[in-house]
Amino acid sequence: REACEARGCTWCSSDVPNAPWCFFPENSPYGYARSGSPEQTDKGWRVTLNKRQALSLFGNDISPIVFEVEFQTKDRLRFRLYDPNAQRFEVPLKIDGPGVTAEEANYEVEF
């Protein structure tokens, strides 16, 4: 607990199996924040994320990044994070789904 709070994180014990007890608070200077409104695409949603501040936990952060959500089947969602300004390696795995709408899916996506 002490190490968690010393990093500026939030500590919250839980009875839920595998739930993290140490996590970044909402107002954390780390991570990314949404830039603008989500854009609806043919298969789901797309949103641009920008790095929150100059602080970095791992180094070589990319900003901006794009987060895409694709509704593939009623029970399967695909998400993808990528650099819109530079091509990078992506696992060459193509999984096509029939494409469903958010209303048909058995899950919800919130931004």
Side-chain angles (χ1 to χ4, degrees):
R1 179 180 188 140
E2 292 80 23
C4 172
E5 291 174 345
R7 285 191 305 265
C9 295
T10 299
W11 177 268
C12 181
S13 59
S14 173
D15 293 334
V16 177
N18 300 318
W21 289 18
C22 182
F23 50 89
F24 292 126
E26 272 190 54
N27 62 351
S28 171
Y30 298 108
Y32 291 80
R34 187 176 74 206
S35 173
S37 298
E39 171 189 345
Q40 193 163 10
T41 66
D42 291 341
K43 297 181 180 182
W45 294 93
R46 178 182 305 120
V47 66
T48 300
L49 305 171
N50 287 309
K51 198 165 168 333
R52 286 189 181 199
Q53 291 186 13
L55 298 173
S56 177
L57 289 175
F58 308 107
N60 298 324
D61 296 327
I62 299 166
S63 188
I65 59 173
V66 174
F67 175 67
E68 282 188 347
V69 176
E70 181 181 318
F71 302 112
Q72 290 195 333
T73 71
K74 289 178 73 168
D75 299 307
R76 186 178 69 222
L77 171 83
R78 176 185 184 212
F79 71 90
R80 179 177 167 228
L81 287 166
Y82 65 92
D83 181 347
N85 299 315
Q87 188 172 8
R88 297 174 179 268
F89 175 79
E90 291 188 39
V91 176
L93 179 63
K94 181 128 172 90
I95 301 174
D96 288 323
V100 295
T101 65
E103 293 79 28
E104 298 170 308
N106 290 328
Y107 46 83
E108 294 180 21
V109 174
E110 294 182 22
F111 296 100

